[in-house]
Amino acid sequence: MAEDLTSFRTQVQAWLSEHFPSSLKSNAAGIMEAAFSENGLSADAEQWRQSLADAGYGAPTWPKEYGGAGLSDSQAAVLSGEMANVGAFNPIPGLAGMGVTMVGPTVLEYGSEDQKLRHLPGIASGTVRWCLGLSEPNAGSDLASLTTKAQDDGDTWIVNGQKIWTSGADRSQWCGALVRTDASAKKRDGISFLMLKMDQPGVRTRPIKLIGGASPFCETFFDDARAEKDDLLGPLNNGWSVVKRLLQHERQSQTGAGAPSGSGSAALSIQDLAKKYVGTTESGELADADLRSRLTSHLMATKAHAMTGSRIREEARGKVEVSAAASILKNSATIVAQVRSELTIEMMGNQGLGWEGDDFTPEELATVRGWLSGKAISIYGGSFEVQKNIISKNILGLPETTQKG
Amino acid sequence: MAALTEEQTLIRDQARAWVTEQSPVRKFRQMRDEKAPLSFHADDWQAMIDMGWTGILVPEKYGGSELGYLTLGIVLEETGRQLTASPLLASAGIGAAALLVAGSDEQKQRILPGVVDGSNVVTLAVEEGPRHDPRQLSLAAMSRDDGLSLVGEKTMVHEAMAATHFVVAVRTSGHAGDENGMTLVLVDAESEGLTLSPLSTVDSRGYASLSFSDVKVSEEQILGSVNSAYVHLEQILDRARAATAAEMMGTAAQAFDMTLEYLKTRVQFGQVIGSFQALGHRAADLFTEMELTRSCMEGALQAIDAGREDVPELCSLSKTRTGEFIHHMSNELIQIHGGIGMTDEFDAGLYLKRARPLEAAWGNQAFHRDRYARLLGF
Ligand SMILES: Cc1cc2nc3c(=O)[nH]c(=O)nc-3n(C[C@H](O)[C@H](O)[C@H](O)COP(=O)(O)OP(=O)(O)OC[C@H]3O[C@@H](n4cnc5c(N)ncnc54)[C@H](O)[C@@H]3O)c2cc1C
């Protein structure tokens, strides 16, 4: 086992030195910004994307026949470690929207062979972007009350209804949508998971602007939109179990506490940033004792979160199961990330209140925007409160409240 | 729970079976009600010795098994669950650690086999005031012909009434507040000039104050070198903190289990109270906190076993997080049990009363938050 990894590591190092363009070094943010602008990926970035796709390293643990590299989890860890060492970054998960993290793993589990061959390679190469049409105006946390419906028209499904908060809908080629296929069944029993093309007359998107200023998501309207008959994922009327699994994948992808906003090789640790803005006493302690104590608690929470992630991985012997633990980690990652943002703007003082312009550094502005957009973490992927429901019911075995709607 | 070795799993299962069958919390209550002079049952202590727990830290050449700190933590977690009272932590944990960190081979040879077979009970005497602050220690040790003479006071010395030896941190030069000028000495409990006064504390465990009036200490009793014991003292205290945190984890985990059980059985308004979302969410918060805390507690013990450099940070992290968790958990234990939680007849109060002394031991949450910040350079 250990031997395997050593030779694999050497192989990855050689591959990286051959294929990774040094112009892209430590520039993840730049690459993704360009990708979503008018210009698209730079020539070097496009070449790098293609190299990753050819090697199957965009979604490295997926089987080779579907565009992955068939790596084990520990090999994939070596790959990402080596990439980090040379300042390389895998843009494919970002380019594929919800494809790599959520749709792909679910297709791998529930899809037919034909569906896997048709959908996965486009995701793994970062050339087909996916969005997810789950939430509706009246179906948020209570997703099963959705009303968008799909009717069987012989050759195709005809879809009518409205979705909301569809991330990246205006920039995606495909959508994984949750639709009602049996109106007479009980709430959860008449739902199916349908995959459909976004570029068709029956689909319209309207971007929604968020408090942070960006418009990452849309209202999505289906008016007699069409989906192929063989693009139903999983059995008819069994969409609820498909989406439950998909949401576990989503939660799993949100259990890391994320990189500090404005991170890059030059970014200061949050304690150094605090010293810079707040100053220190003669003995080198942060001048604001109250902030110092709260910052310490935050750093401890960050460390505890990281150690819990490793402990759970270790207990699972290298294989992270999509499990109950994900709900704990999602909420703790949320707290870590949101508290970090709050502390950062607090320590920046007036400089942490800017919206735009030259009076503020790019890092200060990014911190403010990040603080605002980060409020979403406790809302999507199952809200903070919904995660607590899951923990109390599924892990602790407490009965569901009778007061719930 | 960390990925345990087969041996560790075996030891945990044995410890869990023994505490639940032979030394459940009922036995602690009985000890408290009888006001047992040593504040533990001699038969419990003997059973622990027979099971080999007193040798877990001690190398084989001094009669132990040297299984390490994580293994000791596994056992302490189980005794913490039932509040089982004994000098296990104070002597086989902290006392043994003091000798292993600071003692010479001759001193280890002389004392440790007795720690393992129970004929020696060695306990650490550091505290002098109401708050943990080792740099402030001032118990004076004056040079005499062939050693030192001690004059001053120590307080909150764990399991002092059962002790055969004390590891005492004394000041051989400088002033309270200086890191330099401290020395560690091994004092025989029978020494002339040493007076013990038992303390009656809220957790009904064994503590005493020690009064030294011209207690003579020979050169063979000095652990490490004179005046430069602070580094050793910190290492010993970190081991004490990490091991205490393991016991705290067990006590708090038991409080969690009792609370969860009550949430599932107590009926009000025609339904079990655990079906009220306000309580379900609090249980979810406590569970999350417990899992995060466990990682810190185990991580510190593993770091000591591996001889890692970040031991001081991790021990402060562990002591703070277990302190915060047991504080929160012991309060919720009472609140969620309602009126029954307030009765002496019910066990919840025993857990609350044990929680605060454990939080204070070797530095409370505030002490360790401050230390953590300093270690991280702010
Ligand atoms: C940035 C962002 C991106 C998103 N991307 C997508 C996407 O790509 N595709 C998609 O389909 N959706 C997406 N969503 C939608 C997201 O999944 C929903 O916002 C989420 O499910 C919550 O639904 P809601 O907004 O209707 O809030 P509601 O469900 O109305 O919740 C309102 C409040 O009530 C609380 N609440 C609700 N039910 C309970 C309960 N049972 N117990 C206790 N408290 C409760 C919630 O926690 C919340 O505080 C996105 C949302 C955001 C913010």
Side-chain angles (χ1 to χ4, degrees), chain B residues 45 54 57-58 69 72 76 87-103 107-108 111-116 120-126 157-159 163-168 184-186 223 235-237 239-241 243-244 362:
Chain B
W45 179 224
T54 43
L57 293 187
V58 176
Y69 283 85
L72 180 68
L76 288 170
L88 180 66
L89 171 58
S91 178
I94 304 167
L99 276 146
L100 290 168
V101 166
Q107 288 164 331
K108 293 178 199 168
I111 304 294
L112 287 175
V115 169
V116 178
N120 285 339
V121 171
V122 182
T123 174
L124 184 66
V126 174
V157 180
H158 297 202
E159 311 298 342
T164 55
H165 300 79
F166 298 101
V167 173
V168 189
L184 286 170
V185 295
L186 188 69
L223 300 172
Q235 287 176 21
I236 296 163
L237 286 171
R239 282 153 182 74
R241 289 155 183 157
T244 304
W362 322 119

Short mmCIF file of all heavy atoms in Angstrom, two decimals, chain B residues 45 54 57-58 69 72 76 87-103 107-108 111-116 120-126 157-159 163-168 184-186 223 235-237 239-241 243-244 362:
data_model
loop_
_atom_site.label_atom_id
_atom_site.label_comp_id
_atom_site.label_asym_id
_atom_site.label_seq_id
_atom_site.Cartn_x
_atom_site.Cartn_y
_atom_site.Cartn_z
N TRP B 45 -9.62 0.65 44.39
CA TRP B 45 -8.22 1.01 44.09
C TRP B 45 -7.40 -0.27 43.87
O TRP B 45 -6.65 -0.39 42.90
CB TRP B 45 -7.68 1.87 45.23
CG TRP B 45 -6.26 2.32 45.15
CD1 TRP B 45 -5.36 2.32 46.17
CD2 TRP B 45 -5.56 2.88 44.02
NE1 TRP B 45 -4.16 2.82 45.75
CE2 TRP B 45 -4.24 3.17 44.43
CE3 TRP B 45 -5.92 3.13 42.69
CZ2 TRP B 45 -3.28 3.71 43.58
CZ3 TRP B 45 -4.97 3.67 41.84
CH2 TRP B 45 -3.67 3.97 42.28
N THR B 54 -2.33 0.96 36.88
CA THR B 54 -1.33 1.85 37.48
C THR B 54 0.01 1.78 36.74
O THR B 54 0.90 2.58 37.00
CB THR B 54 -1.10 1.48 38.96
OG1 THR B 54 -1.04 0.05 39.05
CG2 THR B 54 -2.24 1.99 39.83
N LEU B 57 1.49 4.03 32.17
CA LEU B 57 2.49 4.99 31.68
C LEU B 57 3.92 4.53 31.92
O LEU B 57 4.87 5.06 31.36
CB LEU B 57 2.31 6.35 32.38
CG LEU B 57 1.05 7.14 32.10
CD1 LEU B 57 1.15 8.52 32.75
CD2 LEU B 57 0.81 7.28 30.60
N VAL B 58 4.08 3.54 32.80
CA VAL B 58 5.42 3.23 33.32
C VAL B 58 6.13 2.20 32.43
O VAL B 58 5.54 1.19 32.06
CB VAL B 58 5.29 2.69 34.76
CG1 VAL B 58 6.64 2.25 35.32
CG2 VAL B 58 4.64 3.75 35.66
N TYR B 69 -0.28 7.42 26.85
CA TYR B 69 -1.29 8.35 27.36
C TYR B 69 -2.68 8.12 26.79
O TYR B 69 -3.68 8.26 27.49
CB TYR B 69 -0.84 9.80 27.11
CG TYR B 69 0.21 10.22 28.11
CD1 TYR B 69 1.57 9.94 27.90
CD2 TYR B 69 -0.14 10.83 29.30
CE1 TYR B 69 2.53 10.28 28.84
CE2 TYR B 69 0.81 11.18 30.25
CZ TYR B 69 2.14 10.91 30.01
OH TYR B 69 3.07 11.24 30.95
N LEU B 72 -4.15 5.36 28.77
CA LEU B 72 -4.57 5.84 30.09
C LEU B 72 -5.86 6.64 29.97
O LEU B 72 -6.78 6.50 30.78
CB LEU B 72 -3.46 6.70 30.72
CG LEU B 72 -3.81 7.25 32.11
CD1 LEU B 72 -3.89 6.13 33.13
CD2 LEU B 72 -2.78 8.30 32.56
N LEU B 76 -9.41 6.36 31.94
CA LEU B 76 -9.92 7.48 32.73
C LEU B 76 -11.29 7.93 32.26
O LEU B 76 -12.13 8.38 33.04
CB LEU B 76 -8.94 8.66 32.66
CG LEU B 76 -7.63 8.46 33.44
CD1 LEU B 76 -6.64 9.57 33.10
CD2 LEU B 76 -7.89 8.42 34.95
N PRO B 87 -6.92 7.19 43.44
CA PRO B 87 -5.74 7.99 43.07
C PRO B 87 -5.19 7.65 41.70
O PRO B 87 -4.04 7.98 41.41
CB PRO B 87 -4.72 7.62 44.16
CG PRO B 87 -5.43 6.76 45.14
CD PRO B 87 -6.60 6.16 44.43
N LEU B 88 -5.98 6.99 40.84
CA LEU B 88 -5.44 6.56 39.54
C LEU B 88 -4.86 7.73 38.74
O LEU B 88 -3.71 7.70 38.32
CB LEU B 88 -6.54 5.87 38.73
CG LEU B 88 -6.12 5.35 37.35
CD1 LEU B 88 -5.11 4.22 37.48
CD2 LEU B 88 -7.32 4.89 36.53
N LEU B 89 -5.67 8.77 38.54
CA LEU B 89 -5.19 9.93 37.78
C LEU B 89 -4.06 10.64 38.52
O LEU B 89 -3.01 10.94 37.94
CB LEU B 89 -6.35 10.89 37.50
CG LEU B 89 -6.00 12.25 36.90
CD1 LEU B 89 -5.26 12.11 35.58
CD2 LEU B 89 -7.27 13.09 36.70
N ALA B 90 -4.28 10.89 39.81
CA ALA B 90 -3.30 11.69 40.56
C ALA B 90 -1.94 11.01 40.65
O ALA B 90 -0.90 11.66 40.49
CB ALA B 90 -3.84 11.97 41.97
N SER B 91 -1.93 9.70 40.87
CA SER B 91 -0.66 9.02 41.11
C SER B 91 -0.12 8.30 39.87
O SER B 91 0.98 8.59 39.41
CB SER B 91 -0.82 8.02 42.27
OG SER B 91 0.39 7.33 42.49
N ALA B 92 -0.93 7.37 39.32
CA ALA B 92 -0.44 6.60 38.17
C ALA B 92 -0.42 7.42 36.90
O ALA B 92 0.24 7.07 35.93
CB ALA B 92 -1.31 5.36 37.99
N GLY B 93 -1.17 8.54 36.91
CA GLY B 93 -1.14 9.45 35.77
C GLY B 93 -0.13 10.56 36.02
O GLY B 93 0.98 10.54 35.51
N ILE B 94 -0.51 11.50 36.88
CA ILE B 94 0.29 12.71 37.03
C ILE B 94 1.57 12.48 37.82
O ILE B 94 2.65 12.94 37.44
CB ILE B 94 -0.58 13.82 37.67
CG1 ILE B 94 -1.84 14.03 36.80
CG2 ILE B 94 0.22 15.11 37.83
CD1 ILE B 94 -2.92 14.87 37.45
N GLY B 95 1.47 11.72 38.92
CA GLY B 95 2.67 11.43 39.73
C GLY B 95 3.71 10.68 38.90
O GLY B 95 4.91 11.02 38.91
N ALA B 96 3.26 9.65 38.18
CA ALA B 96 4.18 8.88 37.34
C ALA B 96 4.77 9.79 36.26
O ALA B 96 5.98 9.75 35.98
CB ALA B 96 3.46 7.70 36.71
N ALA B 97 3.92 10.64 35.66
CA ALA B 97 4.41 11.55 34.61
C ALA B 97 5.51 12.45 35.16
O ALA B 97 6.51 12.71 34.49
CB ALA B 97 3.26 12.38 34.05
N ALA B 98 5.33 12.93 36.40
CA ALA B 98 6.33 13.83 36.99
C ALA B 98 7.68 13.14 37.08
O ALA B 98 8.72 13.72 36.72
CB ALA B 98 5.87 14.29 38.37
N LEU B 99 7.67 11.90 37.55
CA LEU B 99 8.94 11.18 37.66
C LEU B 99 9.52 10.88 36.28
O LEU B 99 10.73 10.98 36.07
CB LEU B 99 8.74 9.89 38.45
CG LEU B 99 8.82 10.19 39.95
CD1 LEU B 99 7.90 9.30 40.74
CD2 LEU B 99 10.27 10.07 40.45
N LEU B 100 8.66 10.50 35.35
CA LEU B 100 9.15 10.17 34.01
C LEU B 100 9.73 11.39 33.31
O LEU B 100 10.73 11.30 32.61
CB LEU B 100 8.03 9.55 33.18
CG LEU B 100 7.62 8.14 33.63
CD1 LEU B 100 6.32 7.71 32.96
CD2 LEU B 100 8.74 7.14 33.34
N VAL B 101 9.13 12.54 33.53
CA VAL B 101 9.63 13.77 32.89
C VAL B 101 10.90 14.26 33.57
O VAL B 101 11.87 14.62 32.91
CB VAL B 101 8.54 14.87 32.91
CG1 VAL B 101 9.14 16.24 32.56
CG2 VAL B 101 7.41 14.54 31.94
N ALA B 102 10.90 14.28 34.90
CA ALA B 102 11.96 15.00 35.60
C ALA B 102 12.92 14.11 36.40
O ALA B 102 14.00 14.57 36.80
CB ALA B 102 11.35 16.04 36.54
N GLY B 103 12.56 12.87 36.65
CA GLY B 103 13.36 12.04 37.55
C GLY B 103 14.60 11.45 36.90
O GLY B 103 14.66 11.29 35.68
N GLN B 107 16.03 7.62 40.65
CA GLN B 107 14.77 8.02 41.29
C GLN B 107 13.59 7.22 40.74
O GLN B 107 12.70 6.80 41.49
CB GLN B 107 14.54 9.53 41.09
CG GLN B 107 15.49 10.36 41.94
CD GLN B 107 15.56 11.82 41.47
OE1 GLN B 107 15.36 12.11 40.29
NE2 GLN B 107 15.84 12.72 42.41
N LYS B 108 13.59 7.01 39.43
CA LYS B 108 12.50 6.23 38.83
C LYS B 108 12.51 4.81 39.39
O LYS B 108 11.48 4.25 39.74
CB LYS B 108 12.65 6.19 37.31
CG LYS B 108 12.45 7.53 36.64
CD LYS B 108 12.67 7.41 35.14
CE LYS B 108 12.93 8.77 34.51
NZ LYS B 108 13.43 8.68 33.14
N ILE B 111 11.09 4.74 42.93
CA ILE B 111 9.70 5.09 43.21
C ILE B 111 8.68 4.38 42.31
O ILE B 111 7.62 3.94 42.77
CB ILE B 111 9.49 6.63 43.04
CG1 ILE B 111 10.47 7.40 43.94
CG2 ILE B 111 8.05 7.02 43.32
CD1 ILE B 111 10.23 7.22 45.42
N LEU B 112 8.99 4.28 41.01
CA LEU B 112 7.94 3.85 40.07
C LEU B 112 7.42 2.42 40.29
O LEU B 112 6.21 2.22 40.18
CB LEU B 112 8.42 4.04 38.63
CG LEU B 112 8.46 5.51 38.18
CD1 LEU B 112 9.06 5.63 36.77
CD2 LEU B 112 7.07 6.14 38.21
N PRO B 113 8.27 1.44 40.60
CA PRO B 113 7.70 0.11 40.84
C PRO B 113 6.62 0.14 41.92
O PRO B 113 5.60 -0.57 41.83
CB PRO B 113 8.91 -0.72 41.26
CG PRO B 113 10.08 -0.04 40.59
CD PRO B 113 9.75 1.42 40.66
N GLY B 114 6.81 1.00 42.92
CA GLY B 114 5.81 1.14 43.98
C GLY B 114 4.53 1.83 43.49
O GLY B 114 3.44 1.55 43.98
N VAL B 115 4.68 2.75 42.52
CA VAL B 115 3.49 3.38 41.93
C VAL B 115 2.67 2.31 41.22
O VAL B 115 1.44 2.25 41.32
CB VAL B 115 3.89 4.51 40.95
CG1 VAL B 115 2.68 4.97 40.13
CG2 VAL B 115 4.49 5.68 41.71
N VAL B 116 3.38 1.41 40.53
CA VAL B 116 2.68 0.36 39.78
C VAL B 116 2.01 -0.63 40.72
O VAL B 116 0.84 -0.99 40.51
CB VAL B 116 3.67 -0.37 38.83
CG1 VAL B 116 2.96 -1.50 38.09
CG2 VAL B 116 4.30 0.62 37.85
N ASN B 120 3.29 2.82 46.57
CA ASN B 120 3.53 4.27 46.56
C ASN B 120 2.34 4.99 45.91
O ASN B 120 1.83 4.54 44.89
CB ASN B 120 4.77 4.61 45.73
CG ASN B 120 6.06 4.27 46.46
OD1 ASN B 120 6.07 4.15 47.69
ND2 ASN B 120 7.14 4.11 45.72
N VAL B 121 1.94 6.09 46.53
CA VAL B 121 0.98 6.99 45.89
C VAL B 121 1.67 8.35 45.83
O VAL B 121 1.99 8.95 46.85
CB VAL B 121 -0.35 7.08 46.67
CG1 VAL B 121 -1.22 8.19 46.12
CG2 VAL B 121 -1.08 5.75 46.60
N VAL B 122 1.95 8.79 44.58
CA VAL B 122 2.72 10.02 44.38
C VAL B 122 1.79 11.08 43.79
O VAL B 122 1.09 10.80 42.81
CB VAL B 122 3.88 9.77 43.39
CG1 VAL B 122 4.71 11.05 43.20
CG2 VAL B 122 4.77 8.63 43.89
N THR B 123 1.77 12.25 44.38
CA THR B 123 0.84 13.26 43.85
C THR B 123 1.52 14.63 43.79
O THR B 123 2.47 14.90 44.52
CB THR B 123 -0.49 13.25 44.65
OG1 THR B 123 -1.31 14.33 44.22
CG2 THR B 123 -0.27 13.36 46.13
N LEU B 124 1.03 15.44 42.85
CA LEU B 124 1.69 16.71 42.52
C LEU B 124 1.15 17.85 43.39
O LEU B 124 -0.06 18.03 43.49
CB LEU B 124 1.45 17.00 41.04
CG LEU B 124 2.11 18.24 40.42
CD1 LEU B 124 3.63 18.09 40.40
CD2 LEU B 124 1.59 18.44 38.99
N ALA B 125 2.06 18.64 43.98
CA ALA B 125 1.64 19.79 44.80
C ALA B 125 2.17 21.06 44.13
O ALA B 125 3.37 21.35 44.20
CB ALA B 125 2.17 19.64 46.21
N VAL B 126 1.26 21.81 43.47
CA VAL B 126 1.66 23.01 42.75
C VAL B 126 0.91 24.24 43.24
O VAL B 126 1.49 25.29 43.51
CB VAL B 126 1.40 22.84 41.23
CG1 VAL B 126 1.67 24.15 40.49
CG2 VAL B 126 2.29 21.75 40.66
N VAL B 157 -4.20 19.83 46.88
CA VAL B 157 -3.34 18.71 46.46
C VAL B 157 -4.22 17.46 46.36
O VAL B 157 -4.83 17.04 47.35
CB VAL B 157 -2.19 18.51 47.45
CG1 VAL B 157 -1.32 17.34 47.01
CG2 VAL B 157 -1.38 19.80 47.57
N HIS B 158 -4.27 16.89 45.14
CA HIS B 158 -5.17 15.76 44.88
C HIS B 158 -4.73 14.51 45.64
O HIS B 158 -3.56 14.17 45.66
CB HIS B 158 -5.21 15.44 43.38
CG HIS B 158 -5.75 16.56 42.55
ND1 HIS B 158 -6.27 16.38 41.30
CD2 HIS B 158 -5.85 17.89 42.79
CE1 HIS B 158 -6.67 17.54 40.79
NE2 HIS B 158 -6.42 18.48 41.68
N GLU B 159 -5.68 13.81 46.18
CA GLU B 159 -5.46 12.52 46.86
C GLU B 159 -4.34 12.60 47.91
O GLU B 159 -3.62 11.63 48.15
CB GLU B 159 -5.14 11.41 45.85
CG GLU B 159 -6.10 11.33 44.67
CD GLU B 159 -7.54 11.00 45.06
OE1 GLU B 159 -7.75 10.50 46.19
OE2 GLU B 159 -8.45 11.27 44.25
N ALA B 163 -1.48 9.87 49.93
CA ALA B 163 -0.15 9.95 49.31
C ALA B 163 0.96 9.44 50.21
O ALA B 163 0.94 9.64 51.43
CB ALA B 163 0.13 11.39 48.90
N THR B 164 1.94 8.78 49.58
CA THR B 164 3.17 8.44 50.29
C THR B 164 4.25 9.47 49.96
O THR B 164 5.19 9.65 50.73
CB THR B 164 3.67 7.04 49.88
OG1 THR B 164 3.82 7.03 48.45
CG2 THR B 164 2.69 5.96 50.30
N HIS B 165 4.13 10.10 48.79
CA HIS B 165 5.10 11.11 48.37
C HIS B 165 4.39 12.26 47.66
O HIS B 165 3.39 12.05 46.98
CB HIS B 165 6.11 10.52 47.36
CG HIS B 165 6.90 9.38 47.87
ND1 HIS B 165 6.41 8.10 47.96
CD2 HIS B 165 8.18 9.33 48.34
CE1 HIS B 165 7.33 7.30 48.45
NE2 HIS B 165 8.43 8.02 48.69
N PHE B 166 4.97 13.44 47.81
CA PHE B 166 4.50 14.59 47.05
C PHE B 166 5.60 15.07 46.12
O PHE B 166 6.75 15.17 46.55
CB PHE B 166 4.11 15.74 47.99
CG PHE B 166 3.00 15.39 48.92
CD1 PHE B 166 3.27 15.05 50.25
CD2 PHE B 166 1.69 15.36 48.47
CE1 PHE B 166 2.23 14.70 51.10
CE2 PHE B 166 0.65 15.02 49.33
CZ PHE B 166 0.92 14.68 50.66
N VAL B 167 5.24 15.38 44.88
CA VAL B 167 6.17 16.10 44.01
C VAL B 167 5.81 17.58 44.19
O VAL B 167 4.71 18.01 43.80
CB VAL B 167 6.00 15.68 42.54
CG1 VAL B 167 6.86 16.57 41.63
CG2 VAL B 167 6.39 14.22 42.37
N VAL B 168 6.72 18.33 44.82
CA VAL B 168 6.39 19.70 45.20
C VAL B 168 7.21 20.68 44.35
O VAL B 168 8.43 20.52 44.22
CB VAL B 168 6.70 19.95 46.69
CG1 VAL B 168 6.15 21.31 47.13
CG2 VAL B 168 6.11 18.83 47.55
N LEU B 184 11.87 21.19 41.47
CA LEU B 184 10.92 20.14 41.83
C LEU B 184 11.57 19.21 42.84
O LEU B 184 12.70 18.77 42.64
CB LEU B 184 10.53 19.33 40.59
CG LEU B 184 9.60 20.01 39.60
CD1 LEU B 184 9.50 19.19 38.31
CD2 LEU B 184 8.20 20.21 40.21
N VAL B 185 10.85 18.93 43.93
CA VAL B 185 11.40 18.02 44.94
C VAL B 185 10.38 16.94 45.29
O VAL B 185 9.17 17.16 45.20
CB VAL B 185 11.81 18.78 46.23
CG1 VAL B 185 12.95 19.73 45.95
CG2 VAL B 185 10.63 19.52 46.82
N LEU B 186 10.90 15.80 45.65
CA LEU B 186 10.07 14.67 46.03
C LEU B 186 10.08 14.59 47.56
O LEU B 186 11.12 14.34 48.17
CB LEU B 186 10.66 13.39 45.44
CG LEU B 186 9.84 12.13 45.57
CD1 LEU B 186 8.58 12.21 44.71
CD2 LEU B 186 10.68 10.92 45.14
N LEU B 223 14.31 16.57 41.92
CA LEU B 223 14.04 16.01 40.59
C LEU B 223 14.54 17.00 39.54
O LEU B 223 14.09 18.14 39.50
CB LEU B 223 12.54 15.79 40.38
CG LEU B 223 11.83 14.83 41.36
CD1 LEU B 223 10.32 14.88 41.15
CD2 LEU B 223 12.33 13.41 41.18
N GLN B 235 5.78 20.61 31.26
CA GLN B 235 5.55 19.31 30.60
C GLN B 235 4.69 18.40 31.47
O GLN B 235 3.81 17.69 30.99
CB GLN B 235 6.88 18.61 30.32
CG GLN B 235 7.65 19.25 29.17
CD GLN B 235 9.02 18.60 28.98
OE1 GLN B 235 9.25 17.48 29.42
NE2 GLN B 235 9.92 19.31 28.34
N ILE B 236 4.97 18.43 32.76
CA ILE B 236 4.18 17.60 33.69
C ILE B 236 2.74 18.10 33.72
O ILE B 236 1.78 17.32 33.63
CB ILE B 236 4.80 17.63 35.10
CG1 ILE B 236 6.19 17.01 35.08
CG2 ILE B 236 3.89 16.92 36.10
CD1 ILE B 236 7.03 17.35 36.31
N LEU B 237 2.58 19.41 33.81
CA LEU B 237 1.23 19.98 33.85
C LEU B 237 0.48 19.68 32.56
O LEU B 237 -0.72 19.39 32.59
CB LEU B 237 1.30 21.49 34.09
CG LEU B 237 1.66 21.90 35.53
CD1 LEU B 237 1.93 23.40 35.60
CD2 LEU B 237 0.55 21.51 36.50
N ARG B 239 0.77 17.07 30.73
CA ARG B 239 0.32 15.67 30.83
C ARG B 239 -0.86 15.56 31.79
O ARG B 239 -1.82 14.82 31.54
CB ARG B 239 1.50 14.79 31.24
CG ARG B 239 2.41 14.51 30.04
CD ARG B 239 3.86 14.23 30.37
NE ARG B 239 4.62 14.02 29.14
CZ ARG B 239 4.98 15.00 28.28
NH1 ARG B 239 4.67 16.25 28.51
NH2 ARG B 239 5.65 14.70 27.17
N ALA B 240 -0.80 16.33 32.87
CA ALA B 240 -1.92 16.35 33.82
C ALA B 240 -3.19 16.88 33.15
O ALA B 240 -4.29 16.34 33.33
CB ALA B 240 -1.56 17.23 35.02
N ARG B 241 -3.03 17.92 32.35
CA ARG B 241 -4.19 18.54 31.68
C ARG B 241 -4.81 17.56 30.68
O ARG B 241 -6.04 17.37 30.64
CB ARG B 241 -3.74 19.80 30.94
CG ARG B 241 -3.39 20.92 31.88
CD ARG B 241 -2.41 21.92 31.29
NE ARG B 241 -2.07 22.93 32.28
CZ ARG B 241 -0.96 23.67 32.24
NH1 ARG B 241 -0.07 23.52 31.28
NH2 ARG B 241 -0.74 24.56 33.18
N ALA B 243 -4.61 14.31 30.58
CA ALA B 243 -5.21 13.14 31.22
C ALA B 243 -6.49 13.53 31.95
O ALA B 243 -7.49 12.80 31.91
CB ALA B 243 -4.21 12.51 32.19
N THR B 244 -6.49 14.69 32.61
CA THR B 244 -7.70 15.16 33.28
C THR B 244 -8.82 15.36 32.26
O THR B 244 -9.98 15.05 32.52
CB THR B 244 -7.41 16.48 34.03
OG1 THR B 244 -6.32 16.26 34.93
CG2 THR B 244 -8.62 16.96 34.81
N TRP B 362 -5.59 22.37 37.09
CA TRP B 362 -4.47 22.65 36.17
C TRP B 362 -4.79 23.73 35.15
O TRP B 362 -4.27 23.74 34.04
CB TRP B 362 -4.01 21.36 35.47
CG TRP B 362 -4.03 20.16 36.34
CD1 TRP B 362 -4.77 19.03 36.14
CD2 TRP B 362 -3.30 19.95 37.56
NE1 TRP B 362 -4.55 18.14 37.17
CE2 TRP B 362 -3.66 18.68 38.05
CE3 TRP B 362 -2.40 20.72 38.30
CZ2 TRP B 362 -3.15 18.15 39.23
CZ3 TRP B 362 -1.89 20.18 39.49
CH2 TRP B 362 -2.26 18.93 39.93
#
